[in-house]
Amino acid sequence: MIELHRLTKRYGGTTAVDSLSFTVGPGHVTGFLGPNGAGKSTTLRLILGLDACTSGHALINGRPYASLSRPMHEVGALLDASAVHGGRSAYNHLLCLARTNDIGPARVTEVLEQVGLADVGRKRVGGFSLGMKQRLGIAAALLGDPEVLMFDEPVNGLDPDGVRWIRGLMRSLAAEGRTILLSSHLMSEMALTAERIVIVGRGRLIAEATVAELTAAYPSLEDAYMALTASSVQFGAAR
Ligand SMILES: Nc1ncnc2c1ncn2[C@@H]1O[C@H](COP(=O)(O)OP(=O)(O)OP(=O)(O)O)[C@@H](O)[C@H]1O
């Protein structure tokens, strides 16, 4: 479970996350939506302790990230697939991560197979396509077999086969009773993958509802999103 209590982050005069409170429960995929600059990535970074919050707090299974003794066993995340050392092989990249959390090499082989990278595991990550790097980032998130998983735009760069694979993976991880928070701008994918939706705009909570509730109230999830975020879009192009 992920719990946010009045989470706030200011960067100078910019309030990226503004007193944000919501809970992400286990057993289903929760979609995390919002316009560009709404504060989604900042929120994910705050949950993972990669950035210090200004006030409020975020808890993973009831505890702040910093107090988790073996964090990869509790929470896994894909935030930025390109944040990998290009000179290392996929296998070695994962092995380095695994060692920091007492995870053995057999698990590295297992997750490489799970994400479809077993055949290129010994190749340098620098030569990987964006889609391959996304798969590697997902493998890293899965390494510790965590109960809580967070993915920021995981389908970026994936081919249609990969997009379908991600959809199935997210749903099966949720069906295993895990807590899945999935950030994406692809409404059609979100409608097929998520059961619950959290929408933010300008750092604030706009809506928290099931996909079924939103699609009952609006013609589609995309229509619901457009209506609910209409006054929160900061970077709309001239029409
Ligand atoms: N390190 C930082 N320093 C200063 N401002 C930042 C920093 N990180 C984020 N911001 C600002 O915080 C706000 C929220 O950004 P964030 O990246 O969290 O939004 P987002 O919802 O993930 O956007 P997108 O959908 O475009 O990825 C933006 O105004 C952004 O410019």
Side-chain angles (χ1 to χ4, degrees):
M1 177 171 288
I2 303 169
E3 295 162 274
L4 271 55
H5 299 276
R6 302 184 68 82
L7 193 68
T8 299
K9 177 66 184 178
R10 287 190 202 95
Y11 295 105
T14 304
T15 304
V17 177
D18 193 358
S19 198
L20 194 56
S21 300
F22 64 85
T23 298
V24 185
H28 50 255
V29 176
T30 299
F32 194 26
L33 307 179
N36 291 135
K40 303 178 298 296
S41 301
T42 304
T43 300
L44 299 183
R45 284 203 310 275
L46 294 174
I47 296 170
L48 292 166
L50 294 172
D51 226 334
C53 58
T54 307
S55 61
H57 60 269
L59 303 177
I60 295 166
N61 294 332
R63 295 164 63 193
Y65 183 89
S67 77
L68 304 176
S69 54
R70 293 195 310 162
M72 286 172 75
H73 294 274
E74 305 244 10
V75 56
L78 165 68
L79 295 194
D80 178 3
S82 62
V84 282
H85 188 310
R88 281 203 189 121
S89 69
Y91 180 87
N92 281 336
H93 167 69
L94 293 174
L95 191 62
C96 290
L97 290 175
R99 283 188 175 140
T100 62
N101 276 245
D102 296 327
I103 298 165
R107 178 65 184 158
V108 171
T109 305
E110 208 170 278
V111 293
L112 278 170
E113 275 167 15
Q114 192 175 354
V115 303
L117 292 179
D119 290 347
V120 292
R122 301 286 175 176
K123 295 217 161 115
R124 284 174 62 250
V125 175
F128 278 19
S129 68
L130 174 57
M132 290 162 79
K133 285 183 185 161
Q134 291 282 40
R135 286 173 185 264
L136 181 60
I138 291 164
L142 295 173
L143 259 184
D145 198 17
E147 194 267 315
V148 175
L149 284 153
M150 302 193 294
F151 301 96
D152 199 359
E153 297 285 354
V155 296
N156 263 0
L158 287 181
D159 57 24
D161 180 68
V163 173
R164 182 178 280 190
W165 168 71
I166 287 268
R167 194 189 307 151
L169 178 69
M170 299 291 129
R171 293 173 69 111
S172 68
L173 290 168
E176 288 167 7
R178 296 178 211 260
T179 299
I180 313 291
L181 184 59
L182 170 66
S183 167
S184 174
H185 290 296
L186 295 178
M187 291 301 130
S188 52
E189 266 318 299
M190 203 52 104
L192 292 171
T193 312
E195 196 176 308
R196 292 192 63 80
I197 297 287
V198 171
I199 304 178
V200 291
R202 298 179 190 265
R204 292 183 150 262
L205 184 70
I206 292 180
E208 202 180 354
T210 64
V211 171
E213 285 164 349
L214 292 171
T215 52
Y218 297 89
S220 67
L221 181 62
E222 185 180 77
D223 287 304
Y225 172 85
M226 298 303 271
L228 291 166
T229 60
S231 60
S232 303
V233 174
Q234 296 176 77
F235 307 109
R239 288 168 205 242

